[in-house]
Amino acid sequence: MSRANREIPHYYLSTTIDLAVAMAWMRDRNASRPVAERLVPAALLLKSVALAARQVPELNGYWMEEAFVPSPAVRLGVAVSLRGGGLVAPALADADTMPLPELMATLKGLVSRARSGRLRASETADPTLTVTNLGDQGVEAVFGVIYPPQVALVGLGRVTERPVAVDGMLTVHPTVTATLAADHRASDGATGARLLTAIDRLLQRPEEL
């Protein structure tokens, strides 16, 4: 992290995403699932980030030897806080192609193994983009520090009810604040905005996740 702050010229972007459609779709799918297999908002959010990374490859890869090297695969790092203190970010391999139920089951396994110190070597190798989600801690917005040699980090806050204008009428919808910390050597604000816009667009079409 010291190296990241010293060497990486960070820039930051944020957006608020309306989750009304995604949450309604999730509730509808969960109605016919056993309790243990029901989807949670984190699964939808992570899958949308993984798909957005595939659509905006300029932020999915590494800064190496003074140049950006894109990755052909999406290995989504997921920041996990350890019980004894500290942080680890194991990778969800091919998160963009993984079905939602499989992604959620894999995520649960990763978190459990991370907190018990049983991560496999393959699960800690070469994430291409990291997500930090502090929504369960009550945080509304997260502005993270990039893990070198990656060039971007997506932060997700808690899902919260906010007033939203829809067709000229004020209503209350579930929303989430998504942020991006990115390396200005590898991309600019326009590219970063494309990633956040892609995440938003995907969450408005949850049936495609």
Side-chain angles (χ1 to χ4, degrees):
M1 294 299 95
S2 296
R3 176 188 162 199
N5 272 325
R6 185 173 62 249
E7 298 180 4
I8 299 175
H10 287 61
Y11 70 88
Y12 298 95
L13 303 173
S14 71
T15 190
T16 299
I17 299 174
D18 190 334
L19 293 179
V21 173
M23 297 293 278
W25 179 86
M26 186 185 73
R27 285 193 297 270
D28 182 60
R29 294 301 178 275
N30 283 343
S32 58
R33 292 176 180 270
V35 173
E37 298 177 11
R38 288 178 180 171
L39 299 172
V40 296
L44 275 65
L45 293 169
L46 288 173
K47 184 62 181 289
S48 68
V49 173
L51 288 172
R54 188 173 70 192
Q55 294 176 12
V56 188
E58 298 93 333
L59 293 172
N60 184 62
Y62 315 101
W63 184 261
M64 301 174 67
E65 299 180 359
E66 301 303 314
F68 175 66
V69 180
S71 171
V74 177
R75 290 180 55 81
L76 201 64
V78 181
V80 178
S81 59
L82 303 179
R83 293 191 180 95
L87 193 70
V88 66
L92 284 168
D94 301 315
D96 55 324
T97 60
M98 198 180 294
L100 275 171
E102 182 183 346
L103 185 150
M104 194 170 70
T106 303
L107 176 64
K108 287 181 180 178
L110 275 181
V111 172
S112 176
R113 287 191 296 279
R115 289 179 172 162
S116 61
R118 295 183 293 109
L119 283 172
R120 308 179 187 113
S122 61
E123 293 171 338
T124 60
D126 304 325
T128 58
L129 172 69
T130 292
V131 176
T132 181
N133 186 345
L134 291 177
D136 59 347
Q137 302 296 319
V139 173
E140 292 194 6
V142 185
F143 294 90
V145 178
I146 300 165
Y147 293 81
Q150 297 168 52
V151 299
L153 180 142
V154 173
L156 299 168
R158 70 184 177 99
V159 176
T160 184
E161 300 280 339
R162 288 192 178 96
V164 175
V166 179
D167 297 327
M169 301 293 291
L170 193 63
T171 185
V172 176
H173 282 183
T175 65
V176 67
T177 298
T179 64
L180 174 72
D183 187 336
H184 224 320
R185 298 170 301 180
S187 68
D188 57 22
T191 303
R194 283 170 49 215
L195 183 82
L196 291 181
T197 298
I199 294 170
D200 190 343
R201 184 172 60 246
L202 287 159
L203 287 166
Q204 305 315 314
R205 301 198 298 265
E207 67 280 359
E208 298 179 10
L209 294 176

